Every structure is written in structure tokens, then in C-alpha cells.
Amino acid sequence: MMAKVFLLNKQIFLEKLLQLEQFTESEQKHKIEELSNVLEEIGKEEFKSVFTTELFNEIHTMIEEKILSMENTILLLKHISYYSNLKRIWIEGFEGTSLCKRFEEMIIEEDEKKEEKNEKLLADLCECYISLSDDYQPKLLCICVSCILKATLKKEGNEEAQKEVEMALLSLSNLDVLCFVEQKQHLNEIKEIFKYHQEHHNLTRLAYQSAWEFLIYRLFFENSLEEDFVNELHFGREAARELDELSKCVEWKNKKEGKGSKETKEELVLLRWLQTCESCFLRCNLWNEEFVGLINSIVQVFRSAKGNYKEISYQTIFLLKETSIRTGVEIKDLMKSGVADAVLEGIQQQTLEDEMINQFLEFFMNLSKKLKREMDEAMDEAKRKIIRRRVFDKLEEEGYEDTITSLYEVLNFLKRKRYRKLSLDIYDYLVND
């Protein structure tokens, strides 16, 4: 049934696109907004099957034949790029098309104008190009990032203005770790966007998350940004608050498998925040107390998603495992934030997939290593005993040792299957008093 629905949505979209020829330019704007509603319903695989090289070349033909104005073309492409970025769908059909080449030429031409430069047109062109391309010319990338950041600075006002900023920042989040952007040139603008929002709350949740994602990808090129990221812009504090507030918007009980598979915007933004946290944990080495609060927020999302929302549940499990690897995280942080409790709850579920069991076991293997390392580094013998006893008592109280022992039979199976990081020695997972 679901496949039929998506097939129908794909057919409706293509029919409505071809029917634009029948309407005036003004009427087309209304019809394009209707197309946006169809885009919201289309699934990921269907999205890819619709937006092919042939389709983008067809849109360019419609421009050439004056069926579509450039203004309406941009409106259409902004809707397409918005939903592809929101749903994290990689569109491969735009690159190299006649439409893509036309946009590249227009961006350079508009940027080089010394007089009567149309800043709005340039920003729109850049937004579409950044969102739909996957191989950027360095010159174009520099123009587009600078132009989009400038267009989003200190923008307030009505819902329409907020939507424009949201779409612009969402396009920047498309620039992943493979896209080098000269950081020093844009750092002041990025900082200003964050600080202005933290004071005036002028961005939507998606816009704010997108700005963070753009910045965190830049950490892969510029380590010196970590101090700004952690202590000046307060990623840990801000991410924790966003996760807490978004979690309240999700109807967890209605997300069980087989019940309404359509994802709401809040759920998609929540997933994006979790993936941004993953990027942070993988790249940012600095640590402060605000991250303990962030981990606690991830724990709360895990507990809500457990048994209700598979994709979010797995993403949180992976994040909790990553906390046990980070060198800056101490045993006291893991206990204080409730990670150990949450992982124990998870591993004791009746039905678990192999990948989930692997993440849980890796967490406790890393916890055991971390505890041993802290014991070796602790000079105070009394402190050693207090830390070890506290962890042992907690895990013993929750029946952890019995749970791990019961999984011994599956360790060899998991390791043979593909999880080579796992140890076959059961004592590597245990904490002895």
C-alpha cells in the first residue's frame, strides 16, 4: 500500500510540473506551492527517482521556451532543495545539467557586477546551487557561502522572512566535511548568527541546527575553532536545550512500527540534531560541564525512543557508545549523566538486533577500559577504591554482570559476523570490585 501511495505522489508531481505550461506566471506561483505539498509526502527513494538529469534538463527547456520564468524556476528549485536537505536525500541528477551550468554562469555574472547588483537574486541562485550540486567550483563555493551568510545575518520579522532564512541556512548544511570553505573569511559572520539568535531567538529550530551543522563540518579543517565552538558559542548547552524541546514535540507512543510512518518536521530536525552531535563527538576533543548535560539529554531521548522509534533509538545508542570512547569523558561524567543506566536498560530488552547489541557491548568494553585506565592514573589509593566501588555497586544493583554473562554465547557469533572490535573475553566487559 505504501509503495502505491509514493508512486501516486511521484505521478502527481510530474503531472503538475508539466501542467505549469497552462498557467500564467502569477498562477504558476500558486501551483508551485501546491507542488511543495506533494514533495513533503514523497519518500526518499521516490524522491531520487523523480529528480533525475532528464527532469532538470526539462526544467531548463521550459525556461528556454519561456514556459517558466527564472523567478518561478528558483521558487521551484528552492522547494525541491528544501525537502531534499531536510530529509537528507542526496540528489545526483542536477550536477552537469544545462540548468546547473546556467546557474553557475548567472552566479558569476551577477557577482561581478559593480553596479545594480541584485543581491536577492544572487542569494537565491547560490542557495539552489549549493543545495542541489555535489561538486563545487572553488570560486563559486566562496561566492555562495559569503552571499548566503550575509543574507541571513540579523534577520527578524514575519514567518515568511524566517522561512527564507531557514532555507538559506539549510542549504549551507549541505556543505559536508568534503567541502573546504576558507574559515577565517566567514568566522565572524557565523559567530554573529549564533550570538544574535541566542539573544533574540530569531531563527527557527531547523535554521539554528543547520547553522551548527555548517560550523561543525568546518572543524574537520580548522582545529582552532574548537575553543569558539565549545566555550564561546556553547554547543553543549544549546544542543541539550534543543533536544529537550524537540523531544517534547514527538508523539512517541504513535511511532511504533506499523503506525504512521510519515516523519514530522520536528522528528526530522531531532534526527538532524543527533547526527550533528555525532559529528561533534567524532571530531571535537574539547570537553566542559555543558556536555554532561548534553549527554543526559541524549539519554532522555533514548528512553523515549526505545521501543517506539527505531531510527532515533539506534542513533542515540550509537551516540551513547561514542561517549565511552571520548578521552575527555571521565567515569564520573558517564555515571552523572545516566549513560550507564540507560545502556543497561537497553541491553536488557527482550528483542535486540545484532547491531544494537554490538553498540551496547562496545560501550561496556570501553567503560571497563576507561575505568582501568583511571585506576592506573589515580595517585590516591582511597580515590581508586571510591570510584571502583561506586561503579561496581551501581552495575551489580542493576544485574549488569548477569546480563553480560547471558550474552556470552552471542559474542563469538557477532565477532565472526563483522563486529571485530568486540573482545571474546567476557572479563573485558566486567567491572570487578
Side-chain angles (χ1 to χ4, degrees):
M1 179 63 72
M2 191 60 65
K4 289 183 179 180
V5 172
F6 284 138
L7 185 60
L8 179 61
N9 287 329
K10 174 182 176 180
Q11 183 179 349
I12 291 173
F13 179 85
L14 293 175
E15 288 177 353
K16 285 183 176 294
L17 179 62
L18 294 174
Q19 289 170 2
L20 289 177
E21 183 178 6
Q22 305 171 15
F23 302 99
T24 65
E25 183 174 348
S26 177
E27 291 171 334
Q28 283 180 354
K29 289 183 180 179
H30 177 70
K31 295 299 178 181
I32 290 172
E33 293 298 335
E34 290 182 359
L35 280 173
S36 174
N37 296 330
V38 179
L39 287 170
E40 186 177 2
E41 300 291 333
I42 293 180
K44 292 184 179 180
E45 291 306 314
E46 288 69 26
F47 211 102
K48 292 179 181 179
S49 70
V50 172
F51 298 105
T52 60
T53 297
E54 291 74 21
L55 180 75
F56 288 116
N57 281 329
E58 177 63 30
I59 292 173
H60 185 257
T61 299
M62 294 173 75
I63 299 172
E64 292 283 281
E65 295 178 353
K66 302 191 183 307
I67 296 172
L68 267 179
S69 66
M70 181 52 64
E71 182 180 353
N72 282 348
T73 300
I74 287 173
L75 179 61
L76 174 62
L77 293 181
K78 287 178 74 169
H79 283 306
I80 294 171
S81 62
Y82 177 82
Y83 285 106
S84 67
N85 285 332
L86 176 61
K87 299 178 181 183
R88 294 188 181 276
I89 303 169
W90 198 263
I91 294 179
E92 299 177 352
F94 183 74
E95 189 66 40
T97 63
S98 51
L99 183 61
C100 177
K101 293 174 183 176
R102 185 179 192 127
F103 270 55
E104 290 173 341
E105 292 170 0
M106 289 181 68
I107 289 170
I108 293 173
E109 180 183 341
E110 196 64 40
D111 181 66
E112 290 178 348
K113 286 183 179 178
K114 291 185 169 49
E115 297 179 3
E116 299 182 356
K117 182 184 296 187
N118 189 332
E119 297 287 355
K120 176 68 168 61
L121 172 61
L122 180 58
D124 286 340
L125 290 168
C126 288
E127 183 183 319
C128 293
Y129 177 70
I130 288 292
S131 295
L132 297 172
S133 298
D134 57 7
D135 185 18
Y136 312 99
Q137 297 179 28
K139 179 180 180 180
L140 284 170
L141 190 61
C142 181
I143 294 172
C144 289
V145 172
S146 179
C147 180
I148 292 172
L149 285 174
K150 182 179 179 181
T152 58
L153 279 172
K154 297 186 178 180
K155 289 291 180 69
E156 295 187 66
N158 56 35
E159 186 176 334
E160 183 179 349
Q162 282 194 323
K163 182 72 172 181
E164 285 291 318
V165 171
E166 179 180 87
M167 295 177 86
L169 289 174
L170 183 59
S171 71
L172 284 183
S173 73
N174 198 51
L175 299 177
D176 63 15
V177 294
L178 299 177
C179 300
F180 177 75
V181 177
E182 182 59 46
Q183 192 60 53
K184 294 179 181 179
Q185 182 178 353
H186 307 300
L187 183 57
N188 290 335
E189 289 95 333
I190 296 168
K191 282 185 178 181
E192 188 64 29
I193 288 171
F194 286 121
K195 291 180 177 179
Y196 193 82
H197 171 72
Q198 289 170 9
E199 183 177 352
H200 298 91
H201 307 288
N202 65 310
L203 301 177
T204 66
R205 295 196 190 286
L206 177 57
Y208 195 39
Q209 182 277 328
S210 298
W212 277 111
E213 187 160 356
F214 171 75
L215 179 58
I216 203 169
Y217 281 150
R218 311 288 67 82
L219 290 177
F220 283 79
F221 299 108
E222 187 60 69
N223 291 336
S224 63
L225 283 176
E226 288 189 5
E227 180 68 33
D228 300 312
F229 186 82
V230 173
N231 296 320
E232 183 178 355
L233 301 175
H234 303 284
F235 175 80
R237 179 194 70 194
E238 296 297 297
R241 189 192 65 247
E242 293 295 314
L243 287 178
D244 291 343
E245 294 182 359
L246 282 163
S247 186
K248 295 174 185 176
C249 300
V250 178
E251 296 185 31
W252 297 106
K253 292 181 180 179
N254 294 330
K255 296 306 295 185
K256 290 184 179 179
E257 192 171 346
K259 292 186 178 181
S261 59
K262 180 185 174 183
E263 295 168 308
T264 65
K265 184 175 180 178
E266 289 76 16
E267 291 160 9
L268 290 168
V269 178
L270 177 57
L271 266 168
R272 289 174 62 90
W273 264 112
L274 292 172
Q275 289 159 349
T276 299
C277 290
E278 177 185 337
S279 295
C280 173
F281 288 174
L282 291 173
R283 184 63 187 89
C284 183
N285 296 312
L286 287 185
W287 181 264
N288 63 14
E289 186 65 22
E290 291 175 354
F291 278 89
V292 178
L294 172 57
I295 294 174
N296 180 260
S297 295
I298 295 170
V299 166
Q300 300 312 314
V301 174
F302 166 74
R303 286 183 166 136
S304 297
K306 184 179 61 177
N308 290 325
Y309 202 124
K310 183 178 178 180
E311 188 173 2
I312 289 180
S313 180
Y314 178 75
Q315 186 68 42
T316 52
I317 290 168
F318 180 81
L319 281 171
L320 296 182
K321 185 263 294 184
E322 286 298 308
T323 63
S324 66
I325 299 174
R326 285 182 59 113
T327 55
V329 182
E330 298 180 4
I331 292 291
K332 64 179 182 179
D333 296 328
L334 295 176
M335 304 305 289
K336 182 178 179 181
S337 60
V339 181
D341 294 343
V343 176
L344 276 169
E345 293 170 15
I347 206 169
Q348 290 168 349
Q349 292 178 79
Q350 292 295 316
T351 56
L352 286 174
E353 296 179 4
D354 292 344
E355 183 65 35
M356 291 185 178
I357 295 175
N358 174 63
Q359 298 295 333
F360 288 135
L361 288 174
E362 269 199 54
F363 172 85
F364 281 112
M365 188 173 65
N366 295 331
L367 178 68
S368 179
K369 290 179 182 177
K370 189 180 286 286
L371 183 61
K372 291 172 184 175
R373 186 163 56 249
E374 286 192 18
M375 293 303 98
D376 292 339
E377 294 173 354
M379 299 302 294
D380 188 340
E381 183 64 27
K383 182 180 179 181
R384 288 187 187 207
K385 291 182 178 179
I386 290 172
I387 295 174
R388 184 181 290 274
R389 187 71 210 180
R390 185 182 302 148
V391 176
F392 178 80
D393 286 348
K394 181 64 183 175
L395 298 183
E396 183 181 47
E397 176 187 331
E398 299 295 335
Y400 163 68
E401 186 168 326
D402 290 339
T403 300
I404 293 297
T405 304
S406 71
L407 291 169
Y408 179 72
E409 293 297 326
V410 303
L411 279 175
N412 189 51
F413 167 75
L414 291 173
K415 192 171 180 65
R416 279 191 290 108
K417 190 174 181 181
R418 71 171 181 268
Y419 305 112
R420 294 186 175 85
K421 289 185 179 180
L422 294 178
S423 170
L424 289 177
D425 188 345
I426 198 70
Y427 290 100
D428 286 339
Y429 302 91
L430 303 180
V431 178
N432 297 313
D433 187 23

